[in-house]
């Protein structure tokens, strides 16, 4: 069985490498030639721990290749994993034009049975549109199936997540598609849940929205804690011990960012709207999340009063640690706000600075990209913790205090213990405690 992976972005590249590692013969393809050139040479265009090693190992084994030739990739593959982007439109709905474009190309190249697998996150009923599109545009009356196989990997732990899934959801409507999918994921036999296609599509949107809801809930509770001498870390721990609640995704902070939670919550609201279902619950989840960066900026104001001309270090730019991804990163809104108020910024992130330079180019003396966390905090009036990279957790507080102009830390991720930071001589602002 030959598998084609269409779109080798954050999900597609991991999927191509992961499927090859499961022993399949895989070809990855993308419209961006640079991504394909790099992948062919064993280089990843994204920072994702473990990905490059696995990519190189599978290229060496000879069962993984990459090509910009989409038509060829379609023709030589029996199964096609569609991993293209489904970005948000202004009204919140997912832009399905990339999926439609790929469906048409599949139709034009359909010369033998193919199974088309939706790996991208798509609105429920998308499979019907893919089927209709392929049927309308195919040149030969050849049989095909569509399946849904939503992806649950997290950036930063994507390789581990792909190879150690909690569950593999397979949405199918024919025995042939079911057999092929079960064969592909045979190694995860005990983790597989087979459903109809619509159920699989809904599982993905419902899962992301539920996790986003947990985060907005705990963030709202953190506001309550702050006004009442309760401690959000203890509250989350106390709640999380109940297995019905679970301890994960109860970290209060700057709200959820990334390319998926914000977009998928809004997409589900829109799907509901179109079907006459009011997802007011999710509208609030979204609103609470939008306000998190304002809450944080208020803390910075409380610490520094006037922000004009204040020198501020921002530690962490990526939307979460272990990735270079800055899509919907809270850092972007924070930087925008602080620049608007005339602050001078020293920015540092272990992986995401090149990406951030495309939004905020280096512009001394107002916007400075620094080589290390220590360089960034040197001489500043306050340090802001925006992403919880391990290297910030391990920072030497004594040295920090020595080199900062004023010992003020505003921590949006609660990476320090308040007692310890205060004992080290800092004024310390954190979330919900
Ligand atoms: P991405 O933008 O990193 O990757 C999409 C890739 O598709 C890009 O490289 C783009 O060039 C390519 N592409 C677009 N049109 C193409 C075409 N016609 N032919 C070939 N390639 C084409 O996006 P992503 O983060 O990988 O997300 C992809 C999908 O997976 C989205 O629907 C997303 O919601 C979903 N998803 C993402 C994650 C994640 O952690 N990023 C996790 C689970 C699901
Ligand atoms: C998320 C889901 O966890 C994946 O299962 C899913 O496949 C993916 O979205 C997707 O569909 O794209 P990801 O966005 O990579 O993965 O990262 P998460 O670890 O889920 O974090 C998302 C955001 O929530 C980050 O900004 C993070 O800082 C924030 N977060 C997470 C919190 O604020 N608190 C928490 O307790 C957990």
């Amino acid at each position: 069985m030959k598998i084609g992976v269409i779109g080798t972005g954050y999900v597609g590249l991991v999927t191509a490498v992961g499927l090859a590692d499961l022993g399949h013969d895989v070809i990855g393809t993308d419209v961006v030639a640079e991504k394909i050139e790099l992948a062919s040479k064993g280089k990843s265009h994204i920072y994702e721990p473990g990905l490059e090693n696995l990519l190189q190992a599978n290229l060496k084994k000879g069962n993984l290749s990459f090509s910009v030739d989409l038509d060829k990739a379609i023709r030589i593959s029996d199964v096609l994993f569609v991993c293209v982007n489904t970005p948000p439109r202004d009204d919140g709905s997912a832009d399905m034009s990339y999926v439609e474009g790929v469906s048409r190309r599949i139709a034009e190249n359909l010369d033998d049975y193919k199974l088309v697998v939706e790996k991208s996150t798509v609105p429920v009923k998308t499979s019907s549109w893919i089927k209709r599109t392929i049927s309308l545009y195919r040149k030969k009356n050849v049989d095909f199936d569509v399946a849904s196989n939503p992806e649950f990997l997290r950036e930063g732990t994507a390789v581990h997540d792909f190879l150690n899934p909690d569950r593999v959801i397979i949405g199918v409507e024919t025995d042939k598609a079911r057999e092929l999918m079960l064969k592909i994921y045979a190694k995860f036999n005990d983790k597989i849940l087979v459903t109809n296609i619509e159920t699989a599509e809904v599982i993905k949107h419902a899962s992301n929205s539920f996790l986003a809801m947990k985060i907005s809930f705990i963030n709202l509770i953190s506001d309550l804690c702050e006004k009442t001498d309760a401690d959000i870390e203890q509250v989350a721990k106390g709640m999380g011990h109940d297995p019905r609640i679970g301890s994960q995704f109860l970290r209060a902070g700057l709200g959820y960012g990334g390319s998926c939670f914000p977009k998928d919550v809004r997409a589900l609201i829109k799907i509901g709207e179109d079907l006459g279902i009011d997802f007011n619950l999710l509208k609030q989840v979204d609103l609470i999340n939008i306000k998190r960066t304002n809450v944080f900026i208020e803390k910075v104001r409380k610490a520094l009063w006037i922000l004009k001309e204040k020198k501020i270090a921002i530690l962490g730019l990526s939307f979460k640690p272990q990735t270079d991804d800055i899509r919907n990163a809270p850092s972007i809104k924070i930087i925008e706000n602080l620049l608007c108020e005339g602050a001078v910024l020293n920015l540092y992130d272990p992986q995401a600075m090149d990406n951030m330079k495309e939004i905020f180019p280096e512009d001394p003396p107002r916007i400075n990209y620094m080589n290390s966390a220590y360089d960034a905090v040197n001489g500043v009036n306050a340090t802001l913790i925006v992403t919880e990279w391990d290297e910030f957790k391990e920072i030497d507080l004594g040295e920090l205090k020595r080199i900062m102009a004023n010992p003020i830390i505003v921590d949006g991720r609660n990476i320090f213990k308040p007692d310890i930071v205060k004992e080290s001589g800092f004024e310390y602002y954190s979330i919900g405690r």
Side-chain angles (χ1 to χ4, degrees):
M1 184 173 16
K2 177 98 183 172
I3 300 178
V5 174
I6 304 176
T8 54
Y10 282 85
V11 164
L13 188 55
V14 175
T15 301
V17 172
L19 289 171
D21 204 58
L22 291 178
H24 303 299
D25 192 6
V26 179
I27 180 164
T29 178
D30 202 288
V31 282
V32 180
E34 198 195 343
K35 294 184 185 179
I36 294 301
E37 258 168 52
L38 283 170
S40 303
K41 290 184 199 147
K43 296 260 167 229
S44 163
H45 68 280
I46 50 169
Y47 172 74
E48 185 59 53
L51 181 56
E52 238 170 43
N53 284 347
L54 207 65
L55 168 63
Q56 285 160 13
N58 283 284
L59 283 173
K60 224 184 229 167
K61 270 192 336 200
N63 60 331
L64 174 63
S65 64
F66 293 90
S67 167
V68 281
D69 190 344
L70 174 60
D71 298 322
K72 181 184 112 187
I74 293 169
R75 281 197 302 272
I76 65 172
S77 299
D78 307 299
V79 182
L80 293 158
F81 277 72
V82 179
C83 301
V84 299
N85 29 336
T86 50
R89 294 195 299 195
D90 287 347
D91 65 356
S93 63
D95 178 352
M96 298 304 291
S97 58
Y98 301 95
V99 173
E100 199 247 12
V102 166
S103 307
R104 287 173 65 160
R105 287 289 278 277
I106 292 173
E108 283 158 18
N109 288 285
L110 199 70
D111 52 4
D112 213 344
Y113 172 85
K114 301 212 187 286
L115 172 61
V116 180
V117 184
E118 301 170 352
K119 185 57 126 174
S120 300
T121 303
V122 296
V124 57
K125 287 282 178 199
T126 292
S127 72
S128 311
W129 284 107
I130 295 178
K131 269 187 280 177
R132 182 175 152 74
T133 306
I134 297 178
S135 300
L136 276 177
Y137 291 94
R138 70 185 152 178
K139 293 188 177 134
K140 292 185 191 161
N141 196 15
V142 177
D143 204 14
F144 68 94
D145 276 313
V146 176
S148 165
N149 171 223
E151 181 50 59
F152 300 101
L153 64 77
R154 296 158 297 172
E155 289 178 25
T157 52
V159 173
H160 173 271
D161 292 349
F162 188 91
L163 295 175
N164 302 275
D166 301 319
R167 77 287 211 196
V168 175
I169 304 293
I170 292 174
V172 283
E173 57 184 14
T174 69
D175 289 342
K176 193 168 182 179
R178 179 193 167 101
E179 266 166 41
L180 279 169
M181 292 303 288
L182 290 178
K183 202 166 160 194
I184 290 170
Y185 287 114
K187 193 173 172 210
F188 308 133
N189 208 7
D190 54 334
K191 302 282 168 64
I192 294 176
L193 175 65
V194 181
T195 66
N196 70 15
I197 299 182
E198 289 75 14
T199 304
E201 290 168 337
V202 170
I203 287 172
K204 176 63 194 178
H205 266 132
S207 298
N208 271 8
S209 298
F210 191 86
L211 291 171
M213 183 176 74
K214 265 187 111 173
I215 297 170
S216 279
F217 183 84
I218 203 69
N219 279 328
L220 207 53
I221 297 294
S222 80
D223 290 346
L224 174 71
C225 289
E226 230 164 274
K227 295 205 188 303
T228 56
D229 285 339
D231 179 332
I232 190 62
E233 297 297 325
Q234 302 275 359
V235 170
K237 205 169 169 185
M239 287 171 65
H241 280 182
D242 182 338
R244 292 172 305 172
I245 297 173
S247 59
Q248 294 192 49
F249 280 71
L250 288 180
R251 275 182 288 112
L254 294 168
Y256 54 81
S259 66
C260 291
F261 282 177
K263 121 176 132 57
D264 291 345
V265 166
R266 287 174 204 157
L268 190 52
I269 293 170
K270 186 69 174 62
I271 290 166
E273 226 167 80
D274 292 345
L275 296 170
I277 303 157
D278 186 356
F279 271 117
N280 203 18
L281 173 70
L282 292 182
K283 289 180 194 158
Q284 292 306 315
V285 167
D286 188 32
L287 274 179
I288 293 164
N289 195 57
I290 289 168
K291 286 184 192 152
R292 294 316 294 171
T293 38
N294 303 341
V295 169
F296 185 70
I297 297 284
E298 267 315 306
K299 285 181 196 291
V300 181
R301 281 204 199 94
K302 198 170 151 197
L304 291 177
W305 191 16
I306 304 300
L307 300 182
K308 193 164 190 281
E309 309 296 342
K310 292 278 161 60
K311 213 167 171 187
I312 297 174
I314 297 190
L315 300 188
L317 303 173
S318 55
F319 83 97
K320 62 180 276 191
Q322 297 299 332
T323 179
D324 58 358
D325 195 348
I326 56 162
R327 291 178 288 181
N328 290 308
S331 60
I332 297 174
K333 273 214 274 171
I334 291 167
I335 293 171
E336 257 165 22
N337 272 281
L338 296 179
L339 286 176
C340 237
E341 299 204 26
V344 172
L345 303 180
N346 283 357
L347 310 177
Y348 173 71
D349 187 283
Q351 293 295 336
M353 292 202 287
D354 285 345
N355 284 339
M356 198 52 96
K357 281 178 190 170
E358 286 178 20
I359 301 183
F360 301 106
E362 180 125 41
D363 183 19
R366 290 186 69 214
I367 308 176
N368 311 288
Y369 286 88
M370 312 305 285
N371 289 326
S372 72
Y374 291 104
D375 280 353
V377 303
N378 201 347
V380 298
N381 302 107
T383 293
L384 315 187
I385 309 290
V386 174
T387 315
E388 66 278 34
W389 285 91
D390 281 346
E391 68 171 80
F392 305 150
K393 294 177 187 166
E394 287 152 15
I395 221 158
D396 177 343
L397 289 173
E399 178 63 3
L400 199 70
K401 175 148 188 294
R402 198 183 65 74
I403 60 181
M404 284 175 69
N406 303 122
I408 297 174
I409 298 176
V410 189
D411 180 358
R413 301 290 185 175
N414 288 359
I415 65 169
F416 297 124
K417 292 212 175 345
D419 292 353
I420 293 175
V421 192
K422 283 174 191 163
E423 273 162 26
S424 305
F426 284 93
E427 213 177 283
Y428 181 58
Y429 301 81
S430 60
I431 306 287
R433 53 186 192 170

